[in-house]
Amino acid sequence: MRISSLRLQLLAWVVLPLAGLATVNLWTSHGNALATADLVTDRMLVGSARAIAEQVAMDDGVLYATIPPAALEMFDTGDRDRVYYRVETAGGQLLTGYPDLPKATQRDSIEASYRDHRLRLLTLSQAVIGAGADSPIKVTVGVTLAGHDAMVKRLWLNAFAQQLALVAIAGLFVLLGLRRGLAPLIRLRDAVRSPSRSELEPVEVPGAQSEIRPLIDALNAYMQRVRAQMAAQRRFIANAAHQLRTPLALLSTQASYALRETAADQRQEALVALQASSGRLARLAEQLLTLSRAEPGSRRPRADRIDLTEAARQVLETHAPRAIERNIDLGLEEAGPVPVIGDGTMLREMIVNLVDNALRYSNPGGSVTVKLAAVGSEAQLTVTDDGPGIAPEEREHVFERFYRIAGASEEGSGLGLAIVREVIENAGGSVALGDAAGGGLKVEVRLPLERASIS
């Protein structure tokens, strides 16, 4: 199951590993508790066996073994353990105790079953003065494991309680730390969601950590881009409304004039003018739509493989009737395919606007030439005409939307070169204006070549 809360994720990353370590520690603590209980029980067995052995003595040549009460009472821990013992000579003769009690080694304690009980047993050898061949005697003491097991349980529960308290305290401090550490994020959320924010002004979060500061900077940079796009859209809508108002008013006037005119020839003239105005309005609407699609973020990025030579040939074929009508020599100079990667529709629209502008401003009987070449790692598209050209101080302004040169004889929307720049910049290229060799305007476009064609 995926945890969607950052606080819970961080808490889990801290507490779960700590709980895992505590579990390992508890396992080792159980082993330590068992070793401690074994050691304590063995020490008590040794003490009891020694106390019994010290009471064995010779009396008139006979060995006597007396069991002191202290030797048995030392096992009285409240767990109702039972103590078994046996004292025998070196030859195996029983002096006192339980004859069937299992034997233990003389160095280590053992555990064995006796009378349906688990016992821990230990055997101690001790010399007796004057005992002769019966010396040393052997004292075996065994005790049930109730006290032993109770000691293991107490030691392990103490360790468990300590580990549990450690994990709980660590979790509490982590929660407190997360609450304090995530406070800037909460303030950032509240600042972004605040009802008082009517504009996309930058967000400031005092006391933000260095890890959160890049997020705030990125958010502010994003809002700045959104503000710029919104401002551009507002300007575009205002300009578009202004530009559409005049041709629409002209259409209305021409239509009214055609309706009022009774003479056939004058009505025909009014209808022809109305048709021309409708065409210009349709072209303006088409360019507005193209410019909107050319803006960054308005379309999903595309990576089509486009041959600029073929695209230019198709555009020139489409514009050939217009060139013939105005007696303009429309030519294409190319030396083969010029492949680029980009949005094919917008790149073709870029060529359309360049050729359309060139034909529009060229004098009748003039020439328009489109030249394509691959130079190094760049594709070069050059469109030249023999029109009036553009003064150097105006060349940067003509790329602005709806900008028209004062005194221009040809009617236009002022969007053609704006569309060209948007398309070229989105494709990672550049555009420059210059003077044609024989007078007129030269537009030079540079775009990155397809890498496969470079190699």
Side-chain angles (χ1 to χ4, degrees):
M1 181 181 65
R2 182 179 179 182
I3 302 176
S4 59
S5 170
L6 177 60
R7 183 182 287 105
L8 292 179
Q9 285 185 1
L10 294 176
L11 181 64
W13 276 106
V14 173
V15 174
L16 291 181
L18 185 59
L21 292 176
T23 302
V24 175
N25 195 20
L26 285 175
W27 180 74
T28 57
S29 296
H30 184 271
N32 293 334
L34 184 61
T36 301
D38 289 346
L39 179 63
V40 171
T41 303
D42 289 349
R43 292 292 177 84
M44 293 173 65
L45 290 172
V46 170
S48 177
R50 182 165 286 116
I52 294 174
E54 289 176 351
Q55 297 298 319
V56 177
M58 293 290 296
D59 186 7
D60 294 332
V62 180
L63 275 174
Y64 290 95
T66 304
I67 307 301
L72 304 180
E73 290 173 356
M74 66 175 60
F75 296 100
D76 187 11
T77 59
D79 298 301
R80 297 184 180 181
D81 275 318
R82 301 191 63 178
V83 183
Y84 300 92
Y85 56 88
R86 184 178 68 210
V87 182
E88 60 184 358
T89 64
Q93 180 183 356
L94 179 66
L95 297 179
T96 185
Y98 299 86
D100 56 345
L101 186 66
K103 295 182 180 180
T105 63
Q106 297 187 12
R107 292 180 298 175
D108 300 314
S109 60
I110 63 169
E111 290 187 7
S113 296
Y114 180 68
R115 295 186 180 182
D116 298 329
H117 295 291
R118 292 291 298 173
L119 299 182
R120 190 170 185 86
L121 303 105
L122 185 140
T123 298
L124 176 70
S125 297
Q126 183 165 317
V128 177
I129 299 175
D134 292 331
S135 181
I137 61 168
K138 296 179 180 179
V139 180
T140 300
V141 180
V143 63
T144 55
L145 299 178
H148 174 275
D149 294 342
M151 184 183 302
V152 172
K153 184 177 180 180
R154 285 193 299 270
L155 291 175
W156 186 80
L157 286 177
N158 288 336
F160 177 78
Q162 293 174 3
Q163 297 298 323
L164 184 62
L166 178 63
V167 173
I169 293 173
L172 178 62
F173 276 104
V174 168
L175 284 176
L176 294 176
L178 288 175
R179 182 177 181 181
R180 184 176 181 84
L182 295 178
L185 282 178
I186 303 301
R187 292 198 296 271
L188 175 62
R189 179 203 64 186
D190 295 340
V192 172
R193 297 172 58 182
S194 174
S196 61
R197 289 178 57 85
S198 58
E199 298 292 338
L200 295 173
E201 67 269 12
V203 176
E204 292 296 334
V205 181
Q209 298 93 333
S210 58
E211 291 82 2
I212 301 178
R213 178 56 57 184
L215 173 62
I216 300 174
D217 295 340
L219 181 61
N220 288 333
Y222 175 76
M223 288 193 294
Q224 183 179 1
R225 293 196 299 270
V226 172
R227 288 198 305 271
Q229 290 181 355
M230 291 176 63
Q233 289 178 354
R234 285 194 293 266
R235 291 193 303 269
F236 177 76
I237 293 173
N239 292 333
H242 176 73
Q243 293 293 324
L244 289 172
R245 187 182 299 117
T246 300
L248 286 173
L250 179 60
L251 281 175
S252 178
T253 302
Q254 291 173 334
S256 299
Y257 178 80
L259 289 173
R260 292 194 307 267
E261 193 58 53
T262 57
D265 55 344
Q266 293 182 352
R267 177 180 293 179
Q268 179 67 22
E269 182 180 352
L271 290 175
V272 170
L274 181 62
Q275 184 181 29
S277 297
S278 300
R280 287 193 294 270
L281 182 59
R283 176 60 180 166
L284 174 60
E286 181 182 351
Q287 286 189 313
L288 286 173
L289 180 60
T290 301
L291 183 60
S292 175
R293 290 183 304 191
E295 289 182 339
S298 61
R299 287 163 57 92
R300 179 178 298 178
R302 296 178 58 178
D304 304 325
R305 184 183 186 276
I306 304 300
D307 180 6
L308 287 182
T309 302
E310 182 61 27
R313 183 179 292 110
Q314 294 174 2
V315 171
L316 265 58
E317 289 175 356
T318 303
H319 285 74
R322 183 179 172 190
I324 294 173
E325 180 182 350
R326 299 192 61 195
N327 193 26
I328 295 176
D329 181 15
L330 182 60
L332 174 64
E333 296 182 5
E334 50 91 6
V338 180
V340 297
I341 299 296
D343 190 323
T345 302
M346 301 311 297
L347 289 173
R348 292 186 186 94
E349 190 65 28
M350 177 265 296
I351 301 175
V352 167
N353 280 274
L354 289 177
V355 174
D356 181 77
N357 275 357
L359 291 175
R360 183 185 301 274
Y361 290 98
S362 291
N363 299 318
S367 65
V368 173
T369 303
V370 179
K371 182 178 180 181
L372 282 150
V375 181
S377 61
E378 291 182 329
Q380 291 186 1
L381 168 66
T382 306
V383 180
T384 58
D385 61 59
D386 55 1
I390 299 176
E393 62 272 13
E394 297 278 359
R395 289 174 183 172
E396 185 60 30
H397 295 293
V398 294
F399 289 106
E400 299 174 3
R401 299 175 181 183
F402 305 109
Y403 183 85
R404 286 182 47 78
I405 299 175
S409 59
E410 289 293 327
E411 294 184 2
S413 63
L415 291 176
L417 290 178
I419 293 173
V420 169
R421 170 170 278 186
E422 288 284 355
V423 173
I424 292 173
E425 289 183 350
N426 288 343
S430 62
V431 57
L433 303 182
D435 296 322
L441 180 67
K442 179 178 74 172
V443 182
E444 185 176 81
V445 175
R446 294 175 180 268
L447 294 171
L449 273 176
E450 183 190 15
R451 293 189 177 183
S453 64
I454 298 175
S455 58

